[in-house]
Each structure stands twice: as C-alpha cells, then as structure tokens.
Amino acid sequence: MKILLTFLLFIQLTATAQDSTSISFSTEAVQEFKKQNLMDEYDRAFGGNRRVNNRIKVGLVDIAYERFPANLPYLSIEQKIGKKFSAMLGSIMVNRNHTAFPIGDLFKNGFSVEFSYDANLRYYFKSNEKLSGDYLSLEFKVLTRDFLSDGLIQHRNYRSYIGRHQTSVNLGKQFGSILDIGFQAGLKNVLKTKVTEEGFTYTHKKENIQFIPFIGTYSRIGIGANFPRTKKGKAESCDFLNCYNEFNNLFKINLSNSLYLDPYYGTVKFDLAYEKKLGPLPLSLEANLVASAFSEKKFKATGNYEDSEEFKGKFFTFYPEEERKNYLQLTSSLHLKYYFLQNRSILKGKSVSNLSGEYFGAFYTYKMGGENIYTDYSPYERFLKDALKSKSGLMLGIQKKILKNYFYDFGLKYDLTSKGSVFYKLSQEIKFGYAF
C-alpha cells in the first residue's frame, strides 16, 4: 500500500529515497533521535489529535476533468462511522461545458453553472478519531444533471461524450480540513456523441449509453469547521509553516491537476517553477514552465458548415470516422510577487524574511510550441485560440512552504489583456507539491 502511495507522489509525499517504504522527516523541534512523518507533523501543528465526529468543508477542488483541467468550488460534509469509517456527501459547482471554470462566471453567468453531487464511503487505515490520514474510499458521483430532452440535441461544443455519472475507488490522504489529495480509478457512464447522415453531431438522452474506464488525480484545498467544538491546545504551526526559517529562493514542482486518462481524453502536465527574492524588500520574481500533453479522440471534421432544419441553424459537419489528435503545449510565465504583510509580521516577531505569506503582484503568460488545444470549428473558438496565446494581469494569493520540502499556493488572477466582461477575467489557481 505504502509503495503505491509513494509511487503516485500525491499520497505519501516523500522527499528522499529510503530502503524501507516508510516515509519520514527529521525535525529540529523534536528533541529525541526519532523521525516525524508529514501527518504527525500536521497533527502536532494544528491540534489534529483531538476527536472529530463530523466536518463541514468548503473550498476548491483541482481535477483533470475530461477535456480541460479545472479548479471547481465544492462543499462537503463528512461524518465519522465507528473507528475507521466515514461517510461524506459533497457538491461541486461545474461549468455546463465542463471546460476550465473562471470563478467570475459565478457572478456573471449563474445560469451556465450546474452542480455535480457525490457520495463517498471512506476507510481510514488508522483510527480516524480526527478524520485525517491515509484512506481508501468508494465514490459515486453524478456528473451532469439530466438536461437532455427525448429529442436530438446539437452537440455545439463537439465533445466526444457527455458524462452522466461515475463510480471510482480512491486512494488518498486527508490533512484535516485544509488539504485532501489522491488518485482515483473507476468507470464512467457517458452519452456518446453520434453523427447524422448529414454530418451533424448530436446526443440522445436514451441512446448510445456507454461505460468507459478512467484514471486521474485530484486535490482539494479548503477551510472547514470540526465538531464537536473544543478548545485547541497550543498550536506549533510555525515549525510546520517555516515562520522563522529564512530562504531566498525556491525550486517548486507542482503536482496538482497532473493526470487524467480515459479512452477519449487524456492529459498529463509537468509544472516547474523557480522563485527568487529580489533585494531587501519582500519582493520576488518567479519563472514558471508548464509542459502539457493532451490527447483527444473525436469525429473527423469535414471543414464545412451546413444548414440543419432539424437543429434550426448552420453548424459544422463531421465524417462518421473517429480520429485521435495529440497536442503538446508549452506555457512560460513570469510572476512578480510582493509579500505585503511580511514586514509587519517581522516587526511583531511573528516571521522572518522568506517566500511565504500573502502576496499580490503581476503576471505574464505566453503559450508556445505544438498546436493549440482550441480548434477552428467556429469563429468563437478561433477567437479563443488567438486571445489565449498570451495574457497578463494582476494576482492575489497566499503561498506557504510546509516543513522542508513541500509547498502550497492558492491564488486569484485577473486578466487585463483578454476581451470579455470584468467577471470573466477573474480565475483561480491551486498549486501543491515539492519545494526545495
């Protein structure tokens, strides 16, 4: 079990190779000659040793979801059952097109948002008095509400299928209400897209239902309330969050949102960044390089538009044969960060100069290499292809280095270059992984 967790990198979070499969870390805060693993350090830092019967949690889930990776808002409640089991019910807010979800859409286009619901039965490998630790779970998730009528529906965004629901086995690790990461494998129930004799793509509510296998990773970052409510002991969170450790540079490997694969879609992402402090001010410059490989199997396009009496409009047409297209995309970014609360924390004796804390700044992103994922099926998608080649804007977020070799970074970005409404330009980002 632990070998699998170590191999996935998302569960056991190892930093060094060991002869044993036990993953551990040394810490100066421990006076004895013994090693502490990441879960023990988390418990000691945030009072995780107290009993927790149930938890309500809200945040963002980062999941490589069908066509495009997305960061989606979620709400969940977890109830302890016995010593090692728990039941969890949750809801994830999704875009109807299941593409990348700008959080600004919540304010501008509420009608385009729907909810995905899931039920999760978890088994914790150790006693789950605190609803934290390694777990194995069985999950059932409703992906899309039943919005299709009995008639034919034009498949305007040319997806290979519409996901209905899925069942998966999840292998993960939960750190209280802050972080939940893991790997999942299962079966997805989908409505497969079909092509008419005229070449129009469509789906039908009662036709061509298929079960397809899939694998993927997920991570959730959030805040929550634990019950029963009890007073916490003295938290030693500074040892965990490096409040008094100076570091002027970081090499970061982001593990979030890095893998999804089924017979029709596949994506793998490698995300590397180097951040360097600039002078005496709490200012830093970060260079980021992301390599994304994407594969999609779909019907071959004819290159023509035709009028459809049945679908009431002019639409792009396809051949009935399916083809697979593979894309490689390289994205380079520069981030200028100003840790605006750091000087005040230093004066109060709560921190030292490093690359942790709340920040605001500016970013510039350029996509290069390979073929853009967006196609030329419509003027709208051609616009997206051009508009998303490069962009710049402002950002606000919080970054923390965890122990010696881990970090998380949660932020909001406001795009100043892309066209569209003020709300559409607002998006969110989750990063979690190794930091050296």
Side-chain angles (χ1 to χ4, degrees):
M1 184 61 182
K2 289 186 179 179
I3 296 176
L4 180 58
L5 297 180
T6 305
F7 173 76
L8 293 174
L9 294 180
F10 290 85
I11 313 304
Q12 203 61 32
L13 304 174
T14 178
T16 55
Q18 304 285 338
D19 293 334
S20 168
T21 59
S22 174
I23 311 304
S24 59
F25 300 85
S26 62
T27 173
E28 296 178 359
V30 179
Q31 301 302 320
E32 302 175 18
F33 288 98
K34 68 176 183 178
K35 295 185 177 182
Q36 297 289 323
N37 62 40
L38 183 57
M39 195 72 243
D40 290 340
E41 290 280 12
Y42 172 84
D43 290 341
R44 188 169 62 87
F46 296 100
N49 292 318
R50 67 189 183 92
R51 181 170 58 88
V52 177
N53 289 333
N54 49 67
R55 172 182 295 131
I56 297 175
K57 187 163 59 173
V58 62
L60 291 174
V61 58
D62 189 353
I63 185 168
Y65 190 69
E66 294 183 7
R67 289 187 74 185
F68 302 101
N71 307 130
L72 308 172
Y74 80 93
L75 172 69
S76 69
I77 180 169
E78 185 175 5
Q79 173 66 50
K80 184 174 68 174
I81 303 175
K83 292 184 177 181
K84 291 192 175 184
F85 286 92
S86 76
M88 188 170 71
L89 298 177
S91 177
I92 299 175
M93 193 175 294
V94 299
N95 186 312
R96 281 187 181 175
N97 291 328
H98 291 194
T99 58
F101 189 103
I103 198 169
D105 275 6
L106 292 176
F107 305 99
K108 181 177 181 292
N109 297 318
F111 62 87
S112 69
V113 173
E114 61 186 38
F115 292 89
S116 168
Y117 302 98
D118 62 88
N120 202 309
L121 180 63
R122 291 185 171 184
Y123 171 79
Y124 288 89
F125 295 107
K126 295 182 179 180
S127 177
N128 69 334
E129 289 297 316
K130 49 189 176 290
L131 292 180
S132 291
D134 299 328
Y135 65 82
L136 182 69
S137 71
L138 180 65
E139 180 183 65
F140 177 79
K141 181 180 295 184
V142 178
L143 298 174
T144 308
R145 66 182 177 87
D146 196 9
F147 63 90
L148 295 176
S149 66
D150 290 332
L152 301 179
I153 303 296
Q154 170 63 26
H155 212 142
R156 295 175 185 265
N157 61 344
Y158 315 107
R159 291 167 50 210
S160 297
Y161 61 73
I162 293 179
R164 301 174 73 227
H165 53 78
Q166 71 184 38
T167 303
S168 65
V169 175
N170 302 342
L171 190 62
K173 178 187 284 287
Q174 179 163 263
F175 296 88
S177 60
I178 297 177
L179 185 66
D180 186 2
I181 54 178
F183 173 85
Q184 59 183 180
L187 289 176
K188 181 178 294 187
N189 181 282
V190 304
L191 289 172
K192 183 70 177 67
T193 301
K194 301 178 73 174
V195 177
T196 66
E197 294 182 358
E198 295 83 3
F200 301 115
T201 56
Y202 74 98
T203 55
H204 192 285
K205 171 179 172 178
K206 297 180 180 179
E207 292 183 5
N208 211 17
I209 297 175
Q210 296 183 6
F211 284 90
I212 60 173
F214 76 95
I215 60 173
T217 59
Y218 62 88
S219 60
R220 296 181 177 93
I221 186 170
I223 57 175
N226 295 323
F227 301 93
R229 304 290 289 176
T230 58
K231 292 183 178 181
K232 295 182 180 180
K234 181 181 178 182
E236 300 180 41
S237 57
C238 274
D239 291 338
F240 191 80
L241 298 176
N242 295 279
C243 300
Y244 302 112
N245 293 334
E246 292 191 11
F247 47 92
N248 296 325
N249 56 79
L250 282 177
F251 176 72
K252 295 178 286 188
I253 304 174
N254 176 33
L255 301 179
S256 296
N257 211 337
S258 59
L259 174 67
Y260 177 82
L261 181 64
D262 71 30
Y264 296 97
Y265 298 109
T267 180
V268 178
K269 183 183 72 173
F270 298 93
D271 186 346
L272 306 176
Y274 179 76
E275 184 176 357
K276 174 71 174 179
K277 192 172 182 292
L278 302 177
L281 294 176
L283 188 70
S284 72
L285 182 65
E286 178 180 290
N288 185 207
L289 180 64
V290 181
S292 302
F294 181 81
S295 178
E296 182 177 15
K297 183 180 180 182
K298 57 186 178 182
F299 294 107
K300 186 177 180 180
T302 65
N304 301 320
Y305 284 90
E306 300 292 344
D307 289 315
S308 171
E309 295 183 1
E310 184 175 14
F311 296 129
K312 308 299 180 184
K314 193 171 185 177
F315 302 101
F316 204 83
T317 57
F318 297 82
Y319 296 112
E321 298 83 19
E322 289 183 303
E323 62 178 356
R324 180 172 291 279
K325 287 190 174 183
N326 302 309
Y327 310 91
L328 177 62
Q329 182 172 275
L330 300 178
T331 303
S332 59
S333 303
L334 287 177
H335 301 143
L336 185 65
K337 297 180 179 179
Y338 180 72
Y339 293 89
F340 58 92
L341 295 180
Q342 190 169 101
N343 283 341
R344 188 174 69 174
S345 296
I346 292 175
L347 290 175
K348 292 183 177 181
K350 294 182 178 180
S351 68
V352 295
S353 177
N354 54 33
L355 298 174
S356 286
E358 297 80 3
Y359 65 83
F360 67 78
F363 70 89
Y364 175 79
T365 300
Y366 182 76
K367 294 184 178 180
M368 56 187 175
E371 183 179 352
N372 197 292
I373 290 176
Y374 293 98
T375 64
D376 291 327
Y377 290 162
S378 70
Y380 175 68
E381 289 187 334
R382 283 198 296 271
F383 163 76
L384 284 178
K385 182 176 180 180
D386 294 335
L388 294 181
K389 187 174 182 180
S390 65
K391 60 183 178 180
S392 59
L394 305 175
M395 59 185 184
L396 176 68
I398 180 171
Q399 175 174 277
K400 293 290 185 181
K401 186 182 179 186
I402 304 172
L403 291 180
K404 291 184 178 180
N405 297 111
Y406 310 110
F407 83 102
Y408 73 83
D409 187 352
F410 166 67
L412 297 175
K413 290 186 173 181
Y414 184 77
D415 187 356
L416 293 174
T417 52
S418 295
K419 298 179 181 180
S421 70
V422 172
F423 292 116
Y424 181 78
K425 295 180 179 182
L426 186 65
S427 62
Q428 71 279 8
E429 186 175 55
I430 301 172
K431 291 191 175 185
F432 174 80
Y434 291 119
F436 304 97

